[in-house]
Amino acid sequence: MDVKEQVREKYGQAALRVKSGGSSCCGSTRASIDHVDPITSKLYDACQTSVIPEEAVRASLGCGNPSALAQLKPGETVLDLGSGGGIDVLLSAKRVGPSGKAYGLDMTDEMLDLARENQRKAGVENVEFLKGEIENIPLPDNSVDVIISNCVINLSADKDRVLREAFRVLKPGGRVAVSDVVTRGQIPTDVRQNILLWVGCIAGALEEYEYAGKLAKAGFDAIDIEPTRVYNIEDARTFLTGQGVDVDAIAPQVEGKFMSAFIRAVKPGSKGCYGPDCCR
């Protein structure tokens, strides 16, 4: 089974767990039981979680809060790559208001079903969930103001294609504002090669300068990578436990080398023009 199918299967299972009253988790088995995953925990404040269904919160597999950090404006069109249970789509829809639109794109049927149910419960109308892959976005050129994503781009085996697609669908002057896991320095090969860690948001992560280079290659300007959470040795121990690896041997090697980051970039267009009526 390739990486894409591993991701599809694990995220589908996560959606089913949420529907049955459980929770999803980005990291290890232990974290999912204790609800203290070092990547996915404490990303949203009470003001945000109080206005969306509990299932959308429990289905979150992200590593940040892009809907808040993106500084969305009323009337903008937003696309969430790998939207999962819909938490960032629903929060974005509220930020852009009735005159705006929020799309969620996901390849997992179970997550799409959960997201649409969460949309119905939230009573949010300016939302549309699309089935598809982030390497082949089913939207026309120059149709989106802002692209967000929450710990999903790093799961793709073809990140260059994802970023080219993001560039294609953005309007001139449009922006990328994503949360993702990135790395600093060299990472042990056995961590990189473990498919469960890839699905768990770790092994597919790019080195921060490599990430910036891929954005530039795709055509983006104004690239910025801002660390939001750097993982320490105890965090590493938490997400490595239960992954079939020697925790005591690997955890010290990944100390401080994995971090969640907020990544910004702009598609060249009218300078300083980022609003919903820009460049039409």
Side-chain angles (χ1 to χ4, degrees):
M1 191 182 299
D2 64 16
V3 170
K4 186 174 294 184
E5 289 308 311
Q6 287 277 1
V7 171
R8 194 192 310 271
E9 179 178 324
K10 187 162 185 177
Y11 279 63
Q13 292 172 353
L16 293 175
R17 285 198 303 273
V18 170
K19 286 185 175 181
S20 64
S23 66
S24 59
C25 169
C26 198
S28 69
T29 301
R30 189 180 78 187
S32 66
I33 294 173
D34 297 338
H35 307 289
V36 291
D37 185 287
I39 295 178
T40 63
S41 63
K42 300 178 182 178
L43 301 177
Y44 303 92
D45 61 35
C47 292
Q48 293 175 305
T49 57
S50 66
V51 297
I52 56 176
E54 180 184 349
E55 289 81 1
V57 180
R58 288 193 282 114
S60 175
L61 289 152
C63 58
N65 190 343
S67 61
L69 296 171
Q71 298 181 334
L72 302 174
K73 302 174 180 66
E76 289 189 313
T77 298
V78 184
L79 168 63
D80 182 12
L81 300 180
S83 49
I87 183 170
D88 294 310
V89 179
L90 297 176
L91 291 173
S92 296
K94 292 181 179 295
R95 290 178 180 273
V96 301
S99 62
K101 180 72 175 282
Y103 289 101
L105 175 63
D106 206 280
M107 67 176 182
T108 309
D109 289 327
E110 294 87 349
M111 278 295 186
L112 286 168
D113 289 343
L114 178 61
R116 288 167 180 148
E117 177 63 15
N118 287 331
Q119 177 188 358
R120 185 192 65 77
K121 290 179 179 178
V124 180
E125 296 183 356
N126 59 329
V127 162
E128 183 176 350
F129 288 102
L130 308 171
K131 183 174 181 180
E133 299 174 354
I134 63 175
E135 296 86 358
N136 297 285
I137 299 173
L139 288 173
D141 297 356
N142 307 313
S143 59
V144 175
D145 295 296
V146 187
I147 286 179
I148 64 171
S149 185
N150 201 343
C151 204
V152 170
I153 294 176
N154 60 303
L155 297 178
S156 174
D158 193 348
K159 298 173 181 64
D160 289 308
R161 185 167 180 173
V162 173
L163 297 177
R164 288 196 303 270
E165 277 289 275
F167 188 89
R168 177 185 66 79
V169 301
L170 278 172
K171 300 173 185 177
R175 62 199 189 276
V176 163
V178 305
S179 293
D180 225 335
V181 173
V182 299
T183 67
R184 284 177 168 166
Q186 187 173 359
I187 304 300
T189 301
D190 47 358
V191 173
R192 287 284 189 192
Q193 291 178 340
N194 189 302
I195 191 66
L196 290 178
L197 294 182
W198 193 313
V199 176
C201 307
I202 300 170
L206 292 173
E207 202 280 331
E208 56 185 318
Y209 294 110
E210 184 181 6
Y211 206 130
K214 288 182 179 296
L215 283 163
K217 183 180 178 182
F220 288 100
D221 287 341
I223 299 164
D224 180 65
I225 298 179
E226 175 188 351
T228 54
R229 184 182 294 182
V230 179
Y231 306 118
N232 59 33
I233 191 168
E234 290 308 313
D235 294 330
R237 190 178 303 279
T238 298
F239 59 64
L240 288 170
T241 295
Q243 303 290 354
V245 296
D246 187 339
V247 176
D248 290 329
I250 291 180
Q253 300 178 60
V254 298
E255 166 79 13
K257 291 187 176 181
F258 288 97
M259 62 183 183
S260 295
F262 185 55
I263 300 157
R264 303 175 179 88
V266 177
K267 179 175 179 175
S270 297
K271 187 174 181 180
C273 184
Y274 306 115
D277 297 320
C278 174
C279 309
R280 288 181 177 172

